[in-house]
Each structure stands twice: as C-alpha cells, then as structure tokens.
Amino acid sequence: MIKVTIDGVETEVEPGTTILNAARQIGGDLVPPAMCYYSKLKGSGGKCRTCLVKVSAGSAKDPRPMPKLVASCSTPVQDGMVVQNITSPEVLEARKGVVEFLLINHPLDCPICDQAGECHLQDLAFEHGSAKTRYEEERRSFDKIDIGSKIQLHMTRCILCYRCVFTANQITNERVHGVLNRGDAAEIGTYIENVIENDFSGNVIDVCPVGALTDKTFRFKSRVWFVKPMYAHRNCDKCCGKTTVWMKGDEVFRVTARKDQYGEVEDFICNDCRFDKKLASDWTVEGPAPIQRNSVQAQNKYLQGIKVDAPKNIGYGNISDR
C-alpha cells in the first residue's frame, strides 16, 4: 500500500491506482469531476480534461511539484504524493476554462433535452462554469442522421468523450459507429443509417454524460424529477436483469441500468429489458433507488433527509409536441 494526500486528507491505496480513483476512495467534494473517464470501460479517460489536478509533491523520494496540471484519471499515484484539487485556485481556474470550451458549441436546449436533470455537463457548468459566455461565433452544427429505431442521436450536444465508442467496442458483438472526420468536423456517426441494433446497443445511452444519445421510447414523455426511480429485476437470459425502472404510479416510463454514486453503470443490460419491458407486471420491484440529496431528481421525494413517497398528482406539462 502507498500513501497519497489529497487536499490535506491522507489515504492508502494499491500501487497503480490513479489519482482520481484514490480521491474516490476518500469521497465527498475531494473527488474531481470526470466527463470522459468510465471505470467500467478500458482505455477511457484523458480526453475531456475536467479532472485536472495539481501535484504539489511528486513523491516522498522526489518531492518536487509537477510543472503542469495533470489529468487525475490517467496519472498513477506515488508514495508520498501530495495532490491539490479544490484547494488549488489554479485548478479551479483551469476547470472553469475547460467548462467554457465544452460549452462553446453545446446548444442551449436544456428545456427540451431529455437528459435535463441528470446531465453531468449541467452539474459541471453549475459548479465551475460562468454565468455568461464570451463566445460570439456561430455554433457547430451537424446534419441529423438516423442510427436506429431505439436510440436518438443529437450530435450538436456531443462533447466527444468517446464513451459510447468504448462501450460498443467492449460489450457488443460488433461496433458499427465511431468518430468520423477530424478537428472541428469530428462527429459520432455511422456510414450506414439504421445500423445500431445489436442486443446491448442501448447501453450507449447510459454512458453518455450529456443528451447526445437518448432513448426514443422515453423521448419527451416526462422529466426525470416527475417519475420515481425504483430498483427492479426480472429473469433475463441475456443480461443480469437488474435495472432501475422509472415509474409514475403503475406506469413504467423508461428502464435504465443501475448506476453507482459517480453515475457509472454497475451492470450493463440488454435491449429487451431496456426497451421492450414497459409494464409493471414485467418486473419485480424491490424498492426506491437511492438519489443524491442535492440532485434535482430529489424534488418532492425527500423530507428532512428521510425518503418519502412523491406526491401522486404532479403534472409535467405538455411537452410531447416539442
């Protein structure tokens, strides 16, 4: 075991552990944000730069600071390393700049985006972004393409985190989409339309940190804070069958994989569970899924830190025509 200190808190980790995962062992506000890193996907990380931290002491043997900020998701810790995250003004200023770059081409369509309320970019912008933008040029735009009957692609919202590409590479039989073109013209897409249709393709929806990939069967039906996430399971011969069903009364609005406290999928699920099982009778409901207290999803679901049932008569407006 080796010792590392992050924002004044010391912890012991296994050799080879990255700074980000060492911070996750500590938990709380000391954990750097991550938009592209995904612990379940090999090779992810190092692309969005939101997890930058300052290494003020490289190790006990060589206590010199690293000359530049480093990506915590891809930098392994050393014994005696001292790291600054939220205690470094330099890190906070750099993170603010990264958020500004991510928002340069991102459309301002949160009011009609199905990802609103559980969007990691929204959370990042709220915590580290600026109230105004300095960008005056025309935003990047892409032609709409149809990638299948179940998944909606909004390329204008994509931040090129590559998570969906890694997911298709590692958990599906054959990857049929990827990053096309280069530079400012780079986009997620396929050469042939209507081709993403394998049994586990829906998992690209769960790993997407923004609203670039959304569920067509849930499209414009409700907001996440108007439905209740419930842990449920069923006997499935393709996947684990353990999911989160989002319900209003006895109606199942959508089905997603269960996620941990960092928004990462615990077990990937098949398309049959995700898209085709939309009846309450299809599932054995275990109970309410945990929700972070500061999440917008907790609206009307918590009272003084105690989980309670949401009010039954909550309207969510007519958004089906948007």
Side-chain angles (χ1 to χ4, degrees), residues 14 24 93 287:
E14 296 285 345
R24 287 184 173 184
E93 185 64 24

Side-chain angles (χ1 to χ4, degrees), residues 104-105 135-141:
I104 277 180
N105 287 307
Y135 192 69
E136 298 178 352
E137 284 72 30
E138 185 177 354
R139 293 177 184 269
R140 182 182 60 182
S141 62

Side-chain angles (χ1 to χ4, degrees), residues 56-277:
S56 52
S59 65
K61 294 182 178 179
D62 185 1
R64 292 177 298 174
M66 290 188 178
K68 296 181 180 181
L69 302 182
V70 299
S72 62
C73 66
S74 57
T75 305
V77 299
Q78 302 294 328
D79 192 26
M81 177 180 282
V82 178
V83 178
Q84 290 180 276
N85 179 29
I86 59 176
T87 58
S88 171
E90 185 180 357
V91 169
L92 298 179
E93 185 64 24
R95 199 164 287 161
K96 183 178 179 180
V98 171
V99 173
E100 186 174 20
F101 274 115
L102 290 176
L103 293 175
I104 277 180
N105 287 307
H106 200 77
L108 303 177
D109 58 356
C110 297
I112 61 168
C113 179
D114 280 328
Q115 193 80 357
E118 53 184 1
C119 177
H120 295 179
L121 186 56
Q122 274 186 329
D123 298 337
L124 189 69
F126 181 78
E127 186 173 357
H128 299 284
S130 175
K132 298 181 179 179
T133 178
R134 297 180 293 175
Y135 192 69
E136 298 178 352
E137 284 72 30
E138 185 177 354
R139 293 177 184 269
R140 182 182 60 182
S141 62
F142 296 90
D143 294 333
K144 291 184 178 181
I145 61 172
D146 183 6
I147 63 173
S149 61
K150 303 295 187 181
I151 305 171
Q152 179 69 43
L153 172 63
H154 292 275
M155 188 54 220
T156 54
R157 302 173 184 167
C158 180
I159 60 171
L160 291 176
C161 70
Y162 290 72
R163 283 182 179 180
C164 63
V165 180
F166 286 121
T167 301
N169 257 340
Q170 297 172 25
I171 72 168
T172 64
N173 296 328
E174 183 179 0
R175 177 172 65 88
V176 293
H177 78 285
V179 181
L180 311 179
N181 306 318
R182 303 179 66 181
D184 193 49
E187 63 175 303
I188 297 293
T190 63
Y191 282 110
I192 305 174
E193 294 188 356
N194 295 301
V195 294
I196 300 183
E197 52 187 17
N198 59 71
D199 287 339
F200 285 82
S201 62
N203 290 286
V204 299
I205 298 171
D206 282 339
V207 302
C208 183
V210 293
L213 294 165
T214 54
D215 183 351
K216 281 187 177 180
T217 64
F218 179 66
R219 184 172 169 82
F220 300 142
K221 285 189 175 181
S222 179
R223 289 301 194 186
V224 293
W225 54 86
F226 293 141
V227 290
K228 297 188 347 183
M230 309 289 286
Y231 276 169
H233 68 271
R234 60 180 291 269
N235 293 326
C236 180
D237 57 359
K238 293 183 179 179
C239 68
C240 63
K242 298 178 181 179
T243 66
T244 300
V245 294
W246 299 74
M247 305 180 68
K248 183 176 176 62
D250 293 330
E251 184 178 359
V252 176
F253 275 69
R254 70 166 178 169
V255 179
T256 63
R258 298 184 185 184
K259 297 184 178 182
D260 60 20
Q261 60 180 321
Y262 301 111
E264 296 185 1
V265 171
E266 295 178 356
D267 293 294
F268 293 106
I269 63 174
C270 66
N271 284 4
D272 288 346
C273 289
R274 182 185 303 275
F275 298 122
D276 299 333
K277 304 301 179 181

